[in-house]
Amino acid sequence: RERRDTLREELLLSPLPTGDVAATFQFRTRWDADLQRGAVSHYRLFPKALGRLVAALGVRELHLALTQGFWRTRYWGQPPLQAPAGAELWVWFQPTVTDVDKAWKELSNILSGIFCASLNFIDSTNTVIPTASFKPLGLANGTDHHLLRYAVLPREVVCTENLTPWKKLLPCGSKAGLAVLLKAERLFHSSYHSQAVHIRPVCRDASCLAVSWELRQTLTVVFDFFSSGQGKKDWSLFKMFSRTLTDTCPLASQSKVYVDISPKNKEKELLEVSPPPTSVHEAIVQGDKKTYAVYDLQSPSLFNTSRSLNVQLKWKRPQDSSEMPIPTLHAQRYVGGYGLQTGEICTLIYNTHPYRAFPVILLETVPWYLRLYVHTLTIITKGKENKPSYIHYQPAQDRRRPHLLEMLIQLPANSVTKITIEFERALLKWTEYPPDPNHGFYVGSSVLSALVPSVTAMKDMDVEQSPLFTSLFPSSDGSSYFVRLYTEPLLVNLPTPDFSMPYNVICLTCTVVAVCYGSFYNLLTRTFHVEEPSRGGLAKRLANVIRKFRGVPPL
Amino acid sequence: VVEGLALLDLGVSPYSGAIFHETPLIIYLFHFLIEYAELVFMITDVLTAVALYLAIQDFNKVVFKKQKLLIELDKYAPDVAELIQTPMEMHYIPLKVAVFYLLNPYTVMSCVAKSTCAINNSVIAFFILATIKGSAFLSAVFLALATYQSLYPLTLFAPALLYLLQRQFIPIKLKSKSFWLYTMQYASLYLCSLVVIICLSFFLLNSWDFIPSVYGFILSVPDLTPNIGLFWYFFAEMFEHFSLFFVCVFQINVFFYTIPLAIKLKEHPVFFMFVQLAIISIFKSYPTVGDVALYMAFLPVWSHLYRFLRNIFILSCVLIFCSFLFPVLWHLWIYAGSANSNFYYAITLTFNIGQILLVSDYFYAFLRREYYLTHGLHLTRQDGTEAMLVLK
């Protein structure tokens, strides 16, 4: 029978300017079936768990990322695909879904079970409906943003428990092909680890008459120069993953390793790879012309000499660290102010392009307990105020939904834009604090989406022929490329009540109310009377006897 | 309010968030006056002081007339000459009231902070002026405005009604037809003006959103930002299971003293109004020092009770010390981080106890003076020795 699903796997090794190395795995399963209509019962390469999820809940696009660490755009360059620290989930639903919130809740619970992550904490207090960011990455007809949901859990920790179910979704598992390199003890000993699942509908062919479903599983890991590389800039698969590639996945139609050997500073190649690659591929990625050494694991010549493939990267000349290229767009975010009452969120966005200005959409999701004051929002570029051309602000409701601020800001060429907004910290009920309340509360990363003008014009390319890492984001025209950046998550302290005191507080406050009630009750129900003299009780008589002995006048 | 205006400019309803809890009329008032905010608040405070001055002036005349009537009717005991208020000592009381309000540090702080409490105080002051002057219509309108702003002045309906009945010489008997007639008249004036104001607010913003944001907020106390009241910490440390119960209890607590006080103080509605104002300021859900300033402005009116006050020295010391300690302990908790919330909470407890005892002390002194007026100042027991008065 004609196979209707195909698997392509790919590993991209890119040395970063600071001496670290980034490895991006992509496993793409394309299934020429319509998951929405018609009962599909025979799942081959496409994982059944996800297929049934998409069909049952009317999901059009699903993007889930679990990340540990932060991609330092300033030093490492523009990421191929970045994700914010923690867990991020954004989903477009089909227009046929009537109750999107219910579907969203079910979806996050099911995903929480599939990936062993606490995605069940996604509820209305951390879900927002962005209006301008997060446009669909796959096929879409009509974009009613009420079908979109976005949530981020910045406090979520990623560990082996999350990697195992992710690996299980791969057709070859971790037994053959590129996935043999994914061993947890090396992957989590890194500066940045991000694993993601992307499901979207794509055109089946160039005429786009039929829809196929694409599942991409991506894993990006950055190995640190000092801890993993032991201070040496030479990398190899064995040094990074403590394993080498032995064979290709028999279910994959394509299995390749790409190594970025682009010359920096337009000089001769500085990077040498061994063993010699099967081919060299040139592409324009993110506006820059890049050269890749390609190892095709399915080519018979690769495993001829040795049973294993250990790609080694060596630097021919020591790299001059002062020539670090600065990415065109990068951003920073931090909290300003002091004390536990007020504060300020400052975001700095840098546009380092020498002559081109471009707009950027900033999406900020702030939890409800940091009450933002939108009248204090100021955007300053080059010392002057910069008014956003589009601003969508949805204030938070206590304990129900977070703040949502979306702005379209024009960044002039070669400038720094500073966006500040002040907030007030709320006092929460004592049960609403996490177990370590003085650790602070996390504020999820803000998202910057932009079409960055590219240095070199990009050609339209066929998705099936080009490497996977170039076809993740749709490119509308050749003059700019789409980039989505995330800023740092913030850690903010809130004033805490004393957790050991609930009974004491209730008793003391009720005592004060009782004092009031008691005095008023006395004054309202009693009347003045002249006191009648009384002979006194036993105690008084006894006291008088003692006083007589002492020689003191009686009471 | 500035945030509410900014949200309105952005095209978002100011009530869709959880920050803005003022009424629509305030938004529209400040839409025009936002540039002159400091001037507006200063003028409001001056207006409040002027209203209080005129009100107390009129009230003194009424008190004096009533006193004369009771002396002629021989209701007073023979030896109470020193307890009777003379015009001479009452001459400067209105001025003292106005000055007490304007120079009170709490009023100054409210004005500097540009708290909308100043507007609430001003409306209540005009309501008191209208009531004492005897105009039922204006009194109902101002009371409706005050209730519309913050729910609690509803309890001032009872003292106002009692005062107006007294002024019309209608006896307060449950069987009397004229009593019910007048009550119905006043109540309907009040309710109609309230309905008109609420509908006007609806048409200003074209939605009923403001009702849960303003009144739901006052009644359900969701925001636990520390203030000088008792209840922020109480609800912060409350077990979830009981929170609805305690919210109801504490809201009932504000409204529930009205009927007993009305029964006890039906001859003295203005004192009733003072006690009611004090209870509102102490037990409302989000008290501010501006509310405290309003009822403290009335203290010179009862300066003739001074000799009967039992704990005035200690209470004034408590209040002054607490006022100084509030900012210190706030700073230590929030900014220096070397104290925790219990310190600030303790000061709120003492401050509120001080206020409660102050009010009940004045109440005690008032009742005691009334007893002496009718029974004579020098009381003797059956065997001729000096007598003691106790509450039984």
Side-chain angles (χ1 to χ4, degrees):
Chain A
R1 200 202 290 186
E2 184 200 297
R3 293 210 195 119
R4 291 163 69 200
D5 44 17
T6 48
L7 168 71
R8 284 172 60 182
E9 51 178 31
E10 180 186 287
L11 164 63
L12 169 67
L13 295 172
S14 9
L16 300 171
T18 48
D20 310 318
V21 67
T24 309
F25 291 82
Q26 275 205 48
F27 300 91
R28 176 182 176 260
T29 307
R30 206 191 85 172
W31 194 13
D32 297 334
D34 199 349
L35 275 172
Q36 296 300 315
R37 269 168 273 160
V40 184
S41 53
H42 186 64
Y43 288 84
R44 196 176 142 261
L45 294 178
F46 202 96
K48 186 170 177 182
L50 295 178
R52 287 203 1 209
L53 189 66
V54 168
L57 291 174
V59 169
R60 192 167 78 197
E61 265 191 48
L62 185 146
H63 302 269
L64 169 67
L66 295 165
T67 314
Q68 177 200 51
F70 181 68
W71 181 275
R72 297 186 203 124
T73 314
R74 169 75 180 76
Y75 300 105
W76 293 346
Q78 223 100 61
L81 178 67
Q82 194 187 2
E88 184 205 36
L89 176 66
W90 60 279
V91 175
W92 277 93
F93 287 92
Q94 299 281 357
T96 51
V97 175
T98 42
D99 191 348
V100 181
D101 289 315
K102 187 155 157 274
W104 170 252
K105 184 91 192 137
E106 267 186 59
L107 179 69
S108 46
N109 280 314
I110 296 175
L111 286 173
S112 158
I114 295 177
F115 291 100
C116 295
S118 8
L119 299 174
N120 51 324
F121 283 126
I122 291 179
D123 56 12
S124 67
T125 60
N126 43 32
T127 307
V128 289
I129 306 177
T131 54
S133 320
F134 295 106
K135 292 288 177 217
L137 291 178
L139 279 187
N141 48 346
T143 48
D144 176 12
H145 66 267
H146 292 291
L147 298 169
L148 168 66
R149 295 287 184 275
Y150 172 77
V152 66
L153 294 173
R155 211 185 161 112
E156 187 67 18
V157 170
V158 184
C159 57
T160 318
E161 222 175 53
N162 308 117
L163 183 64
T164 315
W166 188 89
K167 281 197 290 187
K168 267 209 241 176
L169 295 174
L170 297 172
C172 277
S174 49
K175 297 191 177 52
L178 293 173
V180 298
L181 296 175
L182 299 174
K183 292 299 169 202
E185 67 267 10
R186 293 300 300 171
L187 283 181
F188 289 102
H189 192 66
S190 57
S191 324
Y192 176 79
H193 169 99
S194 169
Q195 60 198 58
V197 170
H198 304 275
I199 302 177
R200 62 181 177 171
V202 291
C203 286
R204 204 170 288 191
D205 46 30
S207 58
C208 215
L209 290 166
V211 165
S212 302
W213 284 87
E214 181 193 78
L215 164 69
R216 277 186 200 234
Q217 287 181 257
T218 64
L219 192 143
T220 310
V221 60
V222 173
F223 291 102
D224 186 49
F225 167 65
F226 291 104
S227 54
S228 307
Q230 287 129 27
K232 289 210 258 302
K233 283 207 185 100
D234 299 331
W235 293 99
S236 71
L237 280 183
F238 189 77
K239 196 171 176 189
M240 291 193 279
F241 300 105
S242 66
R243 280 195 185 41
T244 55
L245 293 168
T246 46
D247 57 6
T248 173
C249 173
L251 298 169
S253 60
Q254 208 183 77
S255 182
K256 290 189 178 159
V257 175
Y258 290 83
V259 183
D260 185 355
I261 52 173
S262 318
K264 320 244 182 315
N265 318 315
K266 294 181 181 43
E267 285 174 16
K268 286 256 277 256
E269 280 150 29
L270 297 171
L271 189 63
E272 182 188 81
V273 290
S274 71
T278 43
S279 61
V280 172
H281 179 84
E282 280 188 6
I284 299 171
V285 171
Q286 289 182 342
D288 256 336
K289 188 147 179 279
K290 294 214 169 115
T291 319
Y292 296 95
V294 183
Y295 294 85
D296 190 351
L297 293 180
Q298 287 174 337
S299 89
S301 60
L302 201 60
F303 291 108
N304 264 353
T305 42
S306 62
R307 283 296 318 272
S308 72
L309 171 67
N310 183 17
V311 178
Q312 285 174 331
L313 290 76
K314 275 202 196 41
W315 291 97
K316 267 202 233 165
R317 222 175 33 224
Q319 204 183 20
D320 198 347
S321 58
S322 68
E323 294 156 7
M324 253 193 276
I326 303 181
T328 317
L329 175 68
H330 63 280
Q332 257 188 315
R333 190 172 70 150
Y334 56 92
V335 172
Y338 65 95
L340 292 176
Q341 190 180 10
T342 52
E344 184 179 69
I345 298 181
C346 302
T347 314
L348 292 170
I349 311 181
Y350 299 84
N351 174 6
T352 55
H353 201 284
Y355 51 87
R356 288 282 297 274
F358 55 89
V360 68
I361 298 181
L362 174 68
L363 171 77
E364 288 234 25
T365 310
V366 178
W368 65 267
Y369 38 82
L370 300 180
R371 301 177 205 272
L372 292 183
Y373 284 93
V374 78
H375 71 274
T376 57
L377 175 67
T378 51
I379 308 176
I380 297 185
T381 311
K382 290 188 185 167
K384 282 191 304 222
E385 203 191 312
N386 181 356
K387 226 171 128 50
S389 38
Y390 169 76
I391 179 163
H392 171 74
Y393 176 64
Q394 197 183 49
Q397 277 179 352
D398 275 10
R399 302 181 179 89
R400 270 185 290 178
R401 66 169 196 229
H403 294 279
L404 172 67
L405 179 62
E406 266 189 287
M407 294 187 286
L408 179 67
I409 304 168
Q410 191 74 11
L411 302 177
N414 211 10
S415 64
V416 179
T417 305
K418 183 168 181 186
I419 302 159
T420 51
I421 186 165
E422 285 177 25
F423 62 86
E424 218 177 52
R425 303 172 206 226
L427 184 71
L428 303 177
K429 298 192 182 170
W430 70 307
T431 46
E432 290 172 349
Y433 286 86
D436 184 5
N438 290 303
H439 178 72
F441 288 77
Y442 285 95
V443 179
S445 315
S446 33
V447 187
L448 293 156
S449 323
L451 281 171
V452 180
S454 49
V455 173
T456 329
M458 296 187 297
K459 293 187 285 280
D460 233 355
M461 56 205 156
D462 181 19
V463 174
E464 295 304 318
Q465 302 304 319
S466 50
L468 289 174
F469 58 85
T470 54
S471 59
L472 188 60
F473 290 114
S475 54
S476 47
D477 58 73
S479 61
S480 54
Y481 60 95
F482 179 76
V483 128
R484 187 174 285 138
L485 283 183
Y486 294 88
T487 59
E488 293 92 332
L490 302 173
L491 190 59
V492 172
N493 264 328
L494 289 183
T496 54
D498 189 349
F499 297 99
S500 59
M501 293 253 300
Y503 286 112
N504 305 10
V505 168
I506 295 175
C507 290
L508 288 170
T509 310
C510 291
T511 307
V512 172
V513 176
V515 162
C516 176
Y517 176 77
S519 353
F520 275 91
Y521 177 81
N522 268 343
L523 291 167
L524 288 169
T525 52
R526 296 185 187 192
T527 48
F528 283 101
H529 290 286
V530 175
E531 190 190 355
E532 294 303 314
S534 62
R535 281 219 42 233
L538 178 65
K540 203 163 167 193
R541 269 182 282 168
L542 204 59
N544 279 336
V545 165
I546 298 173
R547 285 172 96 101
K548 205 156 56 170
F549 273 124
R550 282 171 60 198
V552 171
L555 282 169
Chain B
V1 175
V2 179
E3 180 68 9
L5 287 174
L7 284 173
L8 208 57
D9 283 339
L10 276 179
V12 177
S13 160
Y15 298 107
S16 56
I19 293 185
F20 185 69
H21 299 284
E22 287 289 342
T23 53
L25 281 182
I26 293 278
I27 297 191
Y28 272 86
L29 182 71
F30 279 99
H31 201 60
F32 305 111
L33 298 175
I34 193 72
E35 285 98 43
Y36 317 107
E38 289 98 6
L39 210 58
V40 166
F41 284 104
M42 285 198 279
I43 292 178
T44 332
D45 275 341
V46 168
L47 281 176
T48 315
V50 166
L52 288 176
Y53 178 88
L54 295 170
I56 300 300
Q57 221 177 29
D58 257 2
F59 173 61
N60 278 345
K61 292 194 194 116
V62 166
V63 160
F64 196 61
K65 247 195 307 194
K66 189 168 157 195
Q67 224 172 220
K68 217 159 86 158
L69 179 69
L70 287 174
I71 291 177
E72 279 170 20
L73 288 179
D74 236 358
K75 285 282 173 79
Y76 287 162
D79 56 350
V80 294
E82 60 195 55
L83 286 182
I84 308 263
Q85 286 181 300
T86 58
M88 198 124 96
E89 68 191 39
M90 296 201 331
H91 181 61
Y92 282 110
I93 288 182
L95 188 64
K96 278 194 211 164
V97 166
V99 165
F100 238 63
Y101 183 74
L102 283 178
L103 293 184
N104 194 343
Y106 295 144
T107 319
V108 175
M109 280 200 277
S110 270
C111 184
V112 169
K114 291 185 241 174
S115 158
T116 48
C117 181
I119 299 180
N120 289 4
N121 284 359
S122 156
V123 174
I124 295 179
F126 277 110
F127 152 72
I128 295 177
L129 176 63
T131 312
I132 293 188
K133 289 262 187 204
S135 154
F137 173 66
L138 275 180
S139 156
V141 165
F142 279 116
L143 186 62
L145 261 180
T147 312
Y148 165 74
Q149 277 286 100
S150 68
L151 209 50
Y152 298 102
L154 176 64
T155 54
L156 295 174
F157 179 82
L161 181 64
L162 287 174
Y163 184 84
L164 289 168
L165 283 173
Q166 234 187 34
R167 212 187 148 86
Q168 307 282 86
F169 302 110
I170 300 172
I172 303 164
K173 286 200 223 313
L174 282 177
K175 295 198 187 58
S176 145
K177 217 166 63 159
S178 54
F179 164 71
W180 286 111
L181 191 65
Y182 196 81
T183 312
M184 287 298 122
Q185 259 184 331
Y186 188 62
S188 57
L189 271 175
Y190 170 65
L191 286 171
C192 286
S193 19
L194 194 59
V195 164
V196 163
I197 294 174
I198 291 188
C199 290
L200 184 67
S201 316
F202 171 71
F203 287 119
L204 277 178
L205 282 179
N206 279 326
S207 72
W208 293 109
D209 270 352
F210 72 96
I211 291 187
S213 273
V214 179
Y215 305 116
F217 179 75
I218 293 179
L219 289 175
S220 64
V221 198
D223 182 355
L224 299 173
T225 313
N227 49 50
I228 61 169
L230 293 165
F231 294 101
W232 58 276
Y233 207 50
F234 189 66
F235 288 114
E237 299 268 8
M238 174 58 57
F239 299 102
E240 261 320 300
H241 188 69
F242 296 108
S243 92
L244 180 63
F245 168 67
F246 276 106
V247 165
C248 295
V249 164
F250 125 77
Q251 294 292 355
I252 289 173
N253 187 45
V254 185
F255 292 99
F256 132 101
Y257 292 103
T258 311
I259 308 282
L261 279 173
I263 296 172
K264 183 84 180 182
L265 290 174
K266 56 179 183 275
E267 310 293 324
H268 314 282
V270 179
F271 189 76
F272 177 19
M273 210 177 293
F274 162 72
V275 176
Q276 195 62 66
L277 269 177
I279 289 178
I280 293 175
S281 324
I282 299 171
F283 292 113
K284 71 191 285 198
S285 36
Y286 294 101
T288 63
V289 290
D291 302 315
V292 177
L294 182 65
Y295 79 79
M296 281 203 173
F298 282 97
L299 294 181
V301 183
W302 325 113
S303 49
H304 57 273
L305 298 174
Y306 181 74
R307 58 185 290 178
F308 300 115
L309 292 172
R310 291 179 295 176
N311 304 315
I312 191 66
F313 173 67
I314 264 214
L315 290 174
S316 40
C317 283
V318 163
L319 290 175
I320 292 175
F321 283 148
C322 288
S323 318
F324 280 119
L325 283 177
F326 264 126
V328 170
L329 292 171
W330 173 257
H331 179 89
L332 279 181
W333 173 28
I334 298 284
Y335 293 100
S338 48
N340 72 5
S341 49
N342 291 335
F343 292 69
Y344 185 78
Y345 169 65
I347 299 300
T348 58
L349 283 181
T350 10
F351 186 70
N352 283 300
I353 289 214
Q355 284 186 69
I356 290 170
L357 291 177
L358 178 75
V359 174
S360 62
D361 212 15
Y362 266 93
F363 195 9
Y364 172 86
F366 190 83
L367 291 178
R368 193 162 167 161
R369 177 175 171 271
E370 291 302 309
Y371 182 83
Y372 279 139
L373 279 179
T374 44
H375 290 91
L377 200 51
H378 303 288
L379 303 162
T380 54
R381 281 189 226 160
Q382 287 159 352
D383 50 3
T385 54
E386 177 115 21
M388 299 272 288
L389 262 197
V390 290
L391 272 179
K392 272 222 215 319

